[in-house]
Amino acid sequence: MSSSPSPAVDAGSAKPLNPKGRVIFASLIGTTIEFYDFYIYATAAVLVFPALFFPNSDPATALLQSFAVFGVAFVARPLGSIIFGHFGDRIGRKGTLVASLLTMGVATFLIGVLPTAQVPGWTFLAPALLVLLRFFQGIALGGEWSGAALLATENAPKNKRAVYGTFPQLGAPIGFILANLLFVYLNSALSNEDFLAWGWRVPFIASAVLVIVGLYVRLKLIESHTFQQVLDKGKVVKVPLASVFTRQWKPLLLGTFIMFATYVLFYLMTSFTLSFGTTPATVEDAAAAAEAAGRSFSAEAAATFVPGLGIPRGDFLWMLIVGVVFFGIFTLVSGPLAEKFGRRKMLLAVTVGIAVFGLTWVPLFGAGATGAMALLIIGFILMGLTFGPMASILPELFPANVRYTGSAVAYNLSSVIGAAPASFVAIALWQVADGSTLLVGLYLSAAAALTFAALWLSKETRDNDYENDIG
């Protein structure tokens, strides 16, 4: 009977190493699963949750309520970063990554079997449990990203950290594509009634298969040599969070704002554009759509209606998928660029691009479906270029014995100020502007300005002694 491959050994130091393929796949599969689970909720929050969990509200209010629940996960993410960061810096990366994956998998599966508010007796309980499960999704993602980034970069060859770091980042576009392909298929294969009745549950329940695969791969890993040095030298910090806030507060603050524009761009491109793109272009179209779905369209709903592009749901999901392909490609492109030019210099240039991009939203969306497709491609190219290097630059800001906690807290504090309000604020700005995306684009440009300032104040991290910087 054959056995699994043994860990490789570095001949120069006799240290055991995780095989390159296993490192890449384990960091990629985990973030793919986590982002898949996260995205199926984001898509459902736009397409079905307003009607299923907030059926007594008008369409605009129900959408805002659904996005408010969506934002609960971002409140939970810093807590997840503290919990998983603590154990990641004290007992190791491997076990912590297994726990984060299990937490996300169980929460997502339970959402898939949750009764809706339309079921008698579940009017209040269903939305409440949805909030709770969304909270646990946020806890899990709060611990997953940093662990996957460290798994990749702490096992990377010299001068390849940014390249290896792009693989956990690649999980975001892959997870998005998997989630939305499944929604597109269900949308085309099922009637609207069947999709609302049970079809929306399939992506949530199916995630259990991906979780099993991810757990199998991660359980075969060995601990990184970098963390093993922390153990061997007796440098484990008793309370990593306290050390980060007292001794590493400056890189924590810079890291939080370095990630800020990336988060705002991310959720404007994936959540807000879906809402804007699929909202009917006229109040008459909105009334007809409500009638076709068997819902009333009251005078109050007509008075609060704001126009969108009126692109059919299935068509816009395909447009998003095409855009995310560019996201994936340029995530991989970003790694070699960040090694060649340095993380700081490259991200400064990309952040300027994001600021300029925010000024183009009105003319691009004004060109209809063609302009919207161009906007999605440009936005997702910028998304790949800014998101890819984050798995290297954020961990490089911190010494190895608090690296999990420091990078996780920075990443997830940024989610609170950047990602959590992005969709909610964008929809509010869209409504205030009576259907124009002018204020939404300016919101993105302002976020880019804050990130540019943080990058300008930071130092280049490419040449940091990543393995021996223990603190």
Side-chain angles (χ1 to χ4, degrees), residues 209-245:
V209 177
L210 296 175
V211 170
I212 292 170
V213 174
L215 288 173
Y216 173 77
V217 175
R218 286 190 167 176
L219 287 169
K220 294 172 73 67
L221 293 168
I222 60 171
E223 193 55 77
S224 74
H225 177 68
T226 301
F227 181 74
Q228 192 61 49
Q229 281 201 116
V230 175
L231 295 176
D232 294 344
K233 295 180 179 181
K235 292 290 188 176
V236 175
V237 177
K238 186 175 182 180
V239 185
L241 182 67
S243 180
V244 167
F245 274 95

Side-chain angles (χ1 to χ4, degrees), residues 350-428:
V350 175
T351 303
V352 170
I354 294 172
V356 174
F357 173 64
L359 305 178
T360 69
W361 277 47
V362 170
L364 285 174
F365 271 135
T370 301
M373 188 71 258
L375 181 140
L376 290 173
I377 290 173
I378 296 168
F380 279 118
I381 287 173
L382 291 168
M383 187 65 232
L385 292 174
T386 186
F387 188 60
M390 291 299 164
S392 55
I393 190 172
L394 294 186
E396 286 169 352
L397 292 171
F398 301 93
N401 54 349
V402 293
R403 185 172 290 151
Y404 202 129
T405 299
S407 57
V409 171
Y411 181 84
N412 289 292
L413 280 179
S414 189
S415 80
V416 173
I417 62 174
S423 298
F424 191 90
V425 169
I427 287 176

Side-chain angles (χ1 to χ4, degrees), residues 165-424:
T166 60
F167 289 101
Q169 304 299 79
L170 194 59
I174 292 176
F176 183 93
I177 290 171
L178 289 177
N180 282 280
L181 280 177
L182 190 49
F183 268 109
V184 166
Y185 170 75
L186 293 170
N187 183 56
S188 62
L190 302 176
S191 66
N192 192 62
E193 292 75 17
D194 286 342
F195 183 74
L196 287 172
W198 59 269
W200 67 271
R201 299 181 182 275
V202 174
F204 291 89
I205 296 172
S207 70
V209 177
L210 296 175
V211 170
I212 292 170
V213 174
L215 288 173
Y216 173 77
V217 175
R218 286 190 167 176
L219 287 169
K220 294 172 73 67
L221 293 168
I222 60 171
E223 193 55 77
S224 74
H225 177 68
T226 301
F227 181 74
Q228 192 61 49
Q229 281 201 116
V230 175
L231 295 176
D232 294 344
K233 295 180 179 181
K235 292 290 188 176
V236 175
V237 177
K238 186 175 182 180
V239 185
L241 182 67
S243 180
V244 167
F245 274 95
T246 57
R247 301 179 61 189
Q248 306 292 332
W249 62 269
K250 184 175 180 180
L252 178 66
L253 186 62
L254 290 174
T256 298
F257 283 96
I258 285 171
M259 187 69 198
F260 181 68
T262 303
Y263 262 131
V264 174
L265 176 63
F266 199 39
Y267 285 93
L268 292 188
M269 296 305 300
T270 54
S271 294
F272 172 74
T273 60
L274 181 60
S275 297
F276 178 74
T278 58
T279 296
T282 66
V283 68
E284 291 79 15
D285 291 341
E291 183 180 351
R295 301 193 305 268
S296 62
F297 191 77
S298 64
E300 182 181 357
T304 59
F305 171 77
V306 289
L309 291 181
I311 298 173
R313 179 175 64 190
D315 292 349
F316 201 87
L317 285 175
W318 274 114
M319 292 168 65
L320 277 174
I321 290 168
V322 170
V324 172
V325 170
F326 286 88
F327 177 15
I329 292 170
F330 281 86
T331 295
L332 291 176
V333 168
S334 72
L337 292 176
E339 290 294 355
K340 181 177 180 179
F341 298 107
R343 290 76 158 120
R344 178 177 177 272
K345 184 180 292 186
M346 179 203 162
L347 285 170
L348 280 169
V350 175
T351 303
V352 170
I354 294 172
V356 174
F357 173 64
L359 305 178
T360 69
W361 277 47
V362 170
L364 285 174
F365 271 135
T370 301
M373 188 71 258
L375 181 140
L376 290 173
I377 290 173
I378 296 168
F380 279 118
I381 287 173
L382 291 168
M383 187 65 232
L385 292 174
T386 186
F387 188 60
M390 291 299 164
S392 55
I393 190 172
L394 294 186
E396 286 169 352
L397 292 171
F398 301 93
N401 54 349
V402 293
R403 185 172 290 151
Y404 202 129
T405 299
S407 57
V409 171
Y411 181 84
N412 289 292
L413 280 179
S414 189
S415 80
V416 173
I417 62 174
S423 298
F424 191 90

